[in-house]
Amino acid sequence: MDDNNCDFSPMKQHLEDGIENLIVMLQSNLKVLGNENYCVLGSLEDVKEHLNEIESIAASYYLNCYLSSFTDTYEDLSTSVQQLSKHRHGALIVVERRDSIEPIIQKGTTIGAVVTPKLLESIFYPGNPLHDGAVLIRGNQVVSAGNVLPLTTDIIEKRLGTRHRAAIGISEQSDALALVVSEETGKISFALNGKLYPINTTQPIKFEDKLKEAPND
């Protein structure tokens, strides 16, 4: 595993292009702000939508960087979460980084197997006794499944479901990165440093690959 593996040049270029387009949109609105015959409200809605797209692309880009530094199986994680998202199978996957999280979780069932899409998809298949808990990944191995994580105590985040609150909670108490797939919507997010970020899911998110078009949602 390479602590400095954060090139992902095509994705980075797409992010830069998005930010430059946003600047152009804002400058255009600024130029016509004094024109009483032109209302910028509609344009600001476009700006807001474009900003949301950039946030999603940025989340995908930085997720690649974070994962590739701590596990060589980030492509398998990509495949897994996309399949889980497609079928709307809820999932919570914690990638341990420098801090050991075992002292702050209720440990579930020991697995001790190399990360593979089939393994993760089977764990989170509805009806599996372990599907409601979190999977712990350390390096390239699934250490355990069915783990119970601490929930965030942030009042604002209480509107979120248990998986999302648990993802934020573990990221508040450690440097771990938590991937979440929503059972209701299929949307994918990740939590890091107590914050939750949406991931682009309109295109395959192979973590070494390209994002050639902006997401639509």
Side-chain angles (χ1 to χ4, degrees), residues 103-163:
I104 57 177
I105 67 174
Q106 295 180 37
K107 190 171 180 181
T109 301
T110 299
I111 303 296
V114 174
V115 174
T116 65
K118 284 188 176 181
L119 175 59
L120 292 174
E121 289 164 39
S122 66
I123 289 173
F124 290 112
Y125 191 84
N128 187 311
L130 302 175
H131 87 283
D132 277 334
V135 159
L136 169 58
I137 291 177
R138 179 182 298 133
N140 301 329
Q141 279 209 328
V142 175
V143 176
S144 55
N147 301 290
V148 178
L149 309 183
L151 302 182
T152 180
T153 57
D154 192 326
I155 296 175
I156 296 176
E157 305 299 351
K158 286 188 177 180
R159 56 186 168 78
L160 297 172
T162 302
R163 283 192 182 93

Side-chain angles (χ1 to χ4, degrees), residues 38-81:
Y38 185 85
C39 178
V40 300
L41 289 177
S43 297
L44 289 177
E45 281 297 316
D46 293 337
V47 169
K48 182 179 178 181
E49 182 179 347
H50 191 62
L51 183 60
N52 289 336
E53 292 173 352
I54 293 173
E55 180 185 25
S56 183
I57 297 168
S60 299
Y61 170 72
Y62 286 108
L63 176 64
N64 296 344
C65 298
Y66 300 141
L67 285 179
S68 63
S69 296
F70 292 92
T71 176
D72 295 324
T73 63
Y74 55 90
E75 291 181 61
D76 293 313
L77 287 174
S78 166
T79 300
S80 299
V81 295

Side-chain angles (χ1 to χ4, degrees), residues 1 4 20 64 70 74 76 90 94 122 155 170 176 189 212:
M1 287 170 282
N4 297 312
E20 289 175 358
N64 296 344
F70 292 92
Y74 55 90
D76 293 313
V94 181
S122 66
I155 296 175
I170 195 66
S189 307
K212 295 182 179 178

